[in-house]
Amino acid sequence: MISSVVLLGSGNVATHMARALHACGLRILQVYSPHREHAQTLAGMTSSQATHRLAELHPGADLYLIAVSDDKIGEVVREMAPVQGFVAHTSGIVNMNLLDKFENFGVFYPLQTFSKKRFVDIRQVPFCIEGNKEKTRQRLFQLASGLSDSVLYIPSASRKQLHLAAVFVNNFPNHLYAAAAELLREKDLDFSILLPLLQETAAKMKELEPGEAQTGPARRNDVNTLREHSTLLEDHPELKEIYQLFSHQILTKYHDKL
Amino acid sequence: MISSVVLLGSGNVATHMARALHACGLRILQVYSPHREHAQTLAGMTSSQATHRLAELHPGADLYLIAVSDDKIGEVVREMAPVQGFVAHTSGIVNMNLLDKFENFGVFYPLQTFSKKRFVDIRQVPFCIEGNKEKTRQRLFQLASGLSDSVLYIPSASRKQLHLAAVFVNNFPNHLYAAAAELLREKDLDFSILLPLLQETAAKMKELEPGEAQTGPARRNDVNTLREHSTLLEDHPELKEIYQLFSHQILTKYHDKL
């Protein structure tokens, strides 16, 4: 069983993982971050040691959890000494094999958006697990199951597709929210007036397929409204581009016309 | 005070309005729909009469609430006899003045997405009110205040902008959810794995500005991930078009580069 962890990273994912592992009774032996103060802050929250030097990594942990940003994982791996414990990264997109200099390696990917300031219920977060050996998979699965009710074995190809799909339900809707906020600001309206609609749009997905839930002028082929909306967007070329692309795609999908 | 209502329409908005008004103790005198059975169904739920003929509209209601689809409002108004009561439509985009053959007319626009099957807490729904006279505005405001905690006077120009912004937080995110579902189906993954992320993306908006909450590869200018995602979308030209447009806009917005 995995009972001691060295955590590499001090960002949003690292912080939430450290808190969750600590709360579940795991010993966080050490927190590494190239930024000494960041390492110290997170170490302070989890009663562990801090280091900003990979050469000083504790050699005897059961698990080395690499939760640095995607493009830094390779560099961290290169500088790490070979270790006996399991080594896993938390990335949705990075190949598991980037860790193949170790004997037991895998992926421990929490599919959620994390901000340091916001509480997230880890028990609801799906964990995607992969491992180079049956034993690695099992141990990582077991560890994730202690944190969350939703743990899945997902091979790299599927995990990457999932990571891509996550962009479509997280980053891109967020960009649309920003567009709406811009339109409201222009008329001195508060963004909060849209919150019930925004929340209900997401909540509906618990019961309906996205295809069933699709509504709006393009779905109804309501040409008057489409025209009126386009006119309102004259001074917003970027929003107009989004409006036209989406309306065209929705029209084509549901009415089979161009 | 408005205490009796004739409801015109039998769709999603009409159904939720009828239920809410009935639950608040208003008398629904009559439900009109060109589809006789639809009128009867909704009338049955609200202890009222049904008609499918505008010529048979009850002449003595305090309010005629027109909740038919946007492009049918003009037609309904043309066929209605002049009435003494208030007349209001529930549309986000139709001009109030379309009702100017009546003496007291206005707008009673609930800013929410309604499905017949889903319960919506009307008290949380923002109502946008407009009226041709101070008295009309006041009465409609008063009526909405009985249903909801969030009632606002909104002139037509602002209401239309709000309706447009609503498309950006409702119809378009829904289209993105459908895109994500398509990607998951391809790998035999269940859409439910994305639900916690999808919900959290919306929930974050209660605390953060959309600009602060923006994350993802384009926000980080993570070119490796952007490239890898684009490759995964080779066989999905429509999703790729969305991906490229959004990534480009997010990159430009936060990194000021083209």
Side-chain angles (χ1 to χ4, degrees):
Chain A
M1 236 188 63
I2 293 169
S3 63
S4 65
V5 180
V6 165
L7 193 88
L8 297 99
S10 60
N12 293 331
V13 175
T15 302
H16 281 267
M17 289 304 103
R19 275 187 205 153
L21 292 166
H22 185 62
C24 281
L26 278 279
R27 263 185 314 140
I28 313 288
L29 297 179
Q30 195 179 37
V31 174
Y32 158 81
S33 165
H35 313 286
R36 187 200 290 238
E37 316 76 52
H38 296 182
Q40 282 166 346
T41 304
L42 192 49
M45 288 163 54
T46 52
S47 319
S48 53
Q49 292 183 328
T51 183
H52 64 288
R53 291 196 190 94
L54 284 167
E56 290 175 3
L57 232 46
H58 193 298
D62 296 332
L63 172 67
Y64 295 80
L65 192 62
I66 305 177
V68 300
S69 62
D70 296 348
D71 52 340
K72 295 283 165 53
I73 296 176
E75 199 178 305
V76 165
V77 168
R78 270 192 302 280
E79 288 189 37
M80 278 175 72
V83 288
Q84 287 303 309
F86 299 98
V87 181
H89 71 62
T90 58
S91 165
I93 193 77
V94 170
N95 268 316
M96 177 176 74
N97 288 335
L98 200 62
L99 310 179
D100 65 5
K101 77 177 226 188
F102 302 106
E103 201 172 315
N104 299 295
F105 58 96
V107 176
F108 195 83
Y109 168 47
L111 178 53
Q112 186 50 285
T113 174
F114 296 104
S115 313
K116 282 184 190 171
K117 283 188 269 180
R118 257 186 80 82
F119 168 80
V120 166
D121 180 3
I122 296 282
R123 292 226 72 84
Q124 311 290 328
V125 175
F127 278 77
C128 304
I129 301 299
E130 202 177 347
N132 71 319
K133 297 177 189 167
E134 183 55 28
K135 186 181 80 173
T136 318
R137 262 196 299 280
Q138 278 179 7
R139 292 293 163 84
L140 292 175
F141 195 96
Q142 197 178 29
L143 179 66
S145 301
L147 305 180
S148 167
D149 296 329
S150 169
V151 185
L152 303 104
Y153 288 128
I154 305 260
S156 279
S158 295
R159 173 169 48 87
K160 287 178 183 192
Q161 187 99 339
L162 204 45
H163 184 263
L164 171 60
V167 168
F168 280 81
V169 303
N170 171 237
N171 308 151
F172 291 173
N174 194 94
H175 185 57
L176 292 171
Y177 301 160
E182 183 182 330
L183 291 170
L184 261 57
R185 255 195 314 276
E186 199 178 77
K187 298 284 181 192
D188 285 324
L189 293 165
D190 199 289
F191 186 62
S192 64
I193 191 175
L194 284 176
L195 284 180
L197 174 60
L198 189 159
Q199 307 292 342
E200 171 68 7
T201 304
K204 264 188 173 178
M205 290 300 107
K206 293 179 199 163
E207 292 179 18
L208 299 175
E209 294 279 319
E212 290 177 81
Q214 187 67 58
T215 58
R219 173 68 184 84
R220 290 191 305 273
N221 194 11
D222 176 348
V223 287
N224 291 328
T225 302
L226 290 169
R227 201 180 305 123
E228 188 143 10
H229 281 169
S230 282
T231 309
L232 291 173
L233 289 170
E234 279 313 333
D235 298 331
H236 300 274
E238 298 207 325
L239 307 195
K240 191 165 182 173
E241 221 176 331
I242 293 176
Y243 191 89
Q244 290 184 329
L245 178 64
F246 275 63
S247 296
H248 176 77
Q249 288 197 2
I250 295 170
L251 262 170
T252 309
K253 182 170 177 179
Y254 295 93
H255 297 273
D256 203 31
K257 70 165 65 165
L258 283 165
Chain B
M1 235 188 66
I2 292 169
S3 63
S4 65
V5 180
V6 165
L7 193 89
L8 297 98
S10 60
N12 294 331
V13 175
T15 302
H16 281 266
M17 288 304 103
R19 275 187 205 152
L21 292 167
H22 184 62
C24 281
L26 277 279
R27 260 185 316 140
I28 313 287
L29 296 179
Q30 195 180 36
V31 174
Y32 157 81
S33 165
H35 313 286
R36 187 200 289 237
E37 316 75 56
H38 297 182
Q40 283 167 345
T41 304
L42 192 49
M45 288 163 55
T46 53
S47 317
S48 54
Q49 291 183 329
T51 184
H52 64 288
R53 293 196 188 94
L54 285 167
E56 290 175 2
L57 233 46
H58 193 298
D62 296 334
L63 171 66
Y64 295 79
L65 192 63
I66 305 177
V68 301
S69 63
D70 295 348
D71 53 340
K72 295 284 165 53
I73 297 175
E75 199 177 304
V76 164
V77 168
R78 270 192 301 281
E79 290 190 36
M80 277 174 74
V83 288
Q84 287 304 308
F86 299 99
V87 181
H89 72 60
T90 57
S91 165
I93 192 76
V94 169
N95 267 316
M96 177 176 71
N97 287 333
L98 199 63
L99 310 178
D100 65 5
K101 76 178 226 185
F102 302 106
E103 201 172 315
N104 299 294
F105 58 95
V107 176
F108 194 82
Y109 168 47
L111 178 53
Q112 185 49 284
T113 173
F114 297 104
S115 314
K116 282 184 190 171
K117 284 188 268 182
R118 258 186 79 82
F119 169 80
V120 167
D121 181 4
I122 297 282
R123 292 227 71 84
Q124 311 290 328
V125 175
F127 278 76
C128 304
I129 302 299
E130 201 177 350
N132 71 318
K133 298 175 188 168
E134 182 56 27
K135 186 181 79 173
T136 317
R137 263 197 298 280
Q138 279 179 8
R139 292 293 163 83
L140 292 175
F141 194 96
Q142 197 177 28
L143 179 66
S145 301
L147 305 180
S148 167
D149 296 329
S150 169
V151 185
L152 304 105
Y153 288 127
I154 305 261
S156 280
S158 296
R159 173 170 46 87
K160 287 178 184 192
Q161 187 100 340
L162 204 45
H163 183 263
L164 171 60
V167 168
F168 280 82
V169 303
N170 171 236
N171 308 150
F172 291 174
N174 194 94
H175 185 57
L176 292 171
Y177 302 160
E182 182 182 330
L183 291 170
L184 263 56
R185 255 195 314 275
E186 201 177 76
K187 297 284 181 195
D188 285 324
L189 293 165
D190 200 288
F191 186 63
S192 64
I193 191 174
L194 284 175
L195 284 181
L197 174 61
L198 189 159
Q199 307 292 342
E200 171 68 7
T201 304
K204 264 188 172 178
M205 290 301 107
K206 294 180 197 164
E207 290 177 20
L208 300 175
E209 295 280 321
E212 291 177 81
Q214 188 67 58
T215 58
R219 174 69 185 83
R220 290 192 304 273
N221 195 9
D222 175 349
V223 287
N224 291 329
T225 301
L226 291 169
R227 202 178 307 121
E228 187 142 12
H229 281 168
S230 282
T231 310
L232 291 174
L233 289 170
E234 279 313 334
D235 297 331
H236 300 275
E238 299 207 325
L239 307 195
K240 190 164 184 177
E241 221 177 332
I242 293 175
Y243 191 88
Q244 290 184 329
L245 177 64
F246 275 63
S247 297
H248 175 78
Q249 289 197 2
I250 295 170
L251 262 169
T252 310
K253 182 170 176 178
Y254 295 94
H255 297 273
D256 205 30
K257 71 165 63 161
L258 282 167

